[in-house]
Amino acid sequence: MPEDATVQASDSEEWVRLTSSDGYDYLVRKKVALCSGTLRNMLSSESRFSEALSNKVPMNERAVIVEKLCEYLIYKSVYEHAKKNEEIPDFQERVYPEISLELLVAADYYDA
């Protein structure tokens, strides 16, 4: 296998495609997606889920919810190893009140 093909293969495995119920796709790095317990189980190489082979996860959530979940997973990935004295911005300020309940249910399901 040529070196370029190896680099391209590893690059494509770094990304996960999350698809909302209304057909919108979101690409996130795999390390970010693994911040969700449910997605981690789905994408585990030991699992026999099709998501683990394709790096594509269909989600039963509207696009606005999937987008906020992605945003939160990125936030979690960035700040999970923050130092104790480091100031961490409040994520709650980014959540629109009209989607907060739906987002809370989705976050619980995806163990985010």
Side-chain angles (χ1 to χ4, degrees):
M1 181 183 289
E3 186 178 334
D4 289 341
T6 306
V7 170
Q8 288 175 349
S10 66
D11 283 347
S12 67
E13 291 173 11
E14 272 187 46
W15 295 91
V16 175
R17 180 182 306 269
L18 305 177
T19 305
S20 68
S21 61
D22 44 358
Y24 289 90
D25 291 330
Y26 298 89
L27 289 175
V28 295
R29 291 206 178 268
K30 192 167 189 174
K31 74 173 195 157
V32 169
L34 297 179
C35 288
S36 157
T38 303
L39 293 177
R40 183 174 39 252
N41 290 335
M42 292 172 132
L43 297 168
S44 167
S45 58
E46 290 86 37
S47 76
R48 296 185 187 254
F49 292 119
S50 63
E51 292 84 356
L53 300 173
S54 67
N55 283 331
K56 296 178 184 175
V57 180
M59 300 177 79
N60 292 326
E61 311 296 335
R62 298 181 305 136
V64 67
I65 302 302
V66 175
E67 183 176 348
K68 277 298 171 189
L69 280 172
C70 291
E71 190 178 334
Y72 178 72
L73 292 174
I74 292 167
Y75 170 89
K76 187 174 178 181
S77 173
V78 167
Y79 292 110
E80 73 181 339
H81 298 297
K83 297 176 184 171
K84 291 184 181 188
N85 60 352
E86 184 178 344
E87 188 173 328
I88 299 174
D90 188 20
F91 188 79
Q92 251 181 326
E93 295 173 3
R94 299 178 184 192
V95 177
Y96 308 118
E98 57 271 10
I99 67 165
S100 58
L101 182 60
E102 190 176 357
L103 183 60
L104 181 63
V105 171
D108 182 51
Y109 176 79
Y110 287 102
D111 191 22

